[in-house]
């Protein structure tokens, strides 16, 4: 049974595609797991905005190093960086939300340079398009600078 599990683990590692960026941050407190499964044992918890080294990713999971630990984190909870170039790991298209006045506003998004219409740069490197100061970048580590 152990040989089968070891073989499956190796196959999972081999099937994981290479991820071009190596630096990353956790978007919130996330579980570092032994294998790429939500049912897998938790090795440790990476704190919100914790710096990680992203080794490899597939569609749902990334193999990362955090301090002296290495394991898997769900891809949706991390953002990768290469020097000053920042990209969302998921490469999702723009997302929107309705603000307190009922207006449709673009959610904080990663850009290589300041985009037109941005009102603030968040501490995680995203740009906010908020139309009021209250709550701006609240899920992105706060406001780094107002634009």
């Amino acid at each position: 049974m152990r040989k089968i599990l070891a073989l499956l683990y190796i196959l999972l590692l081999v099937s994981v595609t290479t991820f071009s960026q190596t630096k990353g941050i956790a978007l919130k407190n996330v579980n570092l797991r032994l294998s790429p499964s939500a049912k897998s044992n938790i090795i440790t918890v990476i704190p919100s905005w914790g710096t990680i080294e992203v080794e490899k990713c597939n569609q749902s999971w990334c193999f990362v190093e955090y301090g002296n630990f290495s394991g898997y984190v769900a891809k949706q909870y991390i953002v990768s960086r290469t020097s000053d170039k920042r990209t969302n790991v998921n490469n999702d298209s723009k997302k929107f939300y309705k603000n307190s006045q009922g207006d449709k506003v673009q959610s904080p998004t990663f850009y290589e340079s300041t985009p037109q219409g941005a009102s603030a740069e968040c501490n995680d490197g995203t740009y906010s398009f908020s139309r009021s100061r209250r709550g701006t970048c609240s899920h992105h580590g706060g406001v780094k600078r107002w634009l």
Side-chain angles (χ1 to χ4, degrees):
M1 182 68 172
R2 285 185 185 214
K3 287 181 181 179
I4 292 172
L5 288 174
L7 181 60
L8 286 173
Y9 185 71
I10 290 169
L11 289 173
L12 279 171
L13 287 177
V14 170
S15 69
V16 173
T17 58
T18 302
F19 187 72
S20 60
Q21 289 116 352
T22 57
K23 297 280 183 192
I25 57 171
L27 293 175
K28 63 180 206 168
N29 290 348
V30 294
N31 295 325
L32 181 67
R33 295 187 178 273
L34 187 60
S35 63
S37 167
K39 294 180 180 180
S40 176
N41 291 337
I42 298 169
I43 299 168
T44 189
V45 176
I46 301 171
S48 182
W49 314 114
T51 302
I52 56 177
E53 292 287 328
V54 180
E55 298 295 325
K56 297 179 181 187
C57 291
N58 64 19
Q59 289 183 344
S60 303
W61 293 89
C62 291
F63 184 76
V64 304
E65 292 181 2
Y66 171 68
N68 294 326
F69 302 102
S70 49
Y72 293 87
V73 172
K75 190 175 186 181
Q76 66 188 3
Y77 300 123
I78 61 174
V79 173
S80 66
R81 294 182 179 195
T82 298
S83 61
D84 290 332
K85 184 177 179 183
R86 299 170 189 143
T87 48
N88 189 323
V89 170
N90 297 317
N91 293 322
D92 291 337
S93 59
K94 295 176 190 173
K95 294 183 180 181
F96 295 86
Y97 67 95
K98 282 195 177 184
N99 68 9
S100 59
Q101 290 81 33
D103 298 325
K104 183 179 178 181
V105 178
Q106 183 177 331
S107 297
T109 308
F110 287 97
Y111 288 91
E112 290 185 34
S113 60
T114 305
Q116 186 174 6
S119 57
E121 182 181 6
C122 303
N123 279 321
D124 68 351
T126 58
Y127 286 91
S128 173
F129 298 84
S130 178
R131 297 189 184 143
S132 66
R133 289 188 172 232
R134 186 175 183 188
T136 300
C137 300
S138 60
H139 297 284
H140 297 269
V143 173
K144 180 177 181 178
R145 67 182 172 112
W146 294 100
L147 305 172

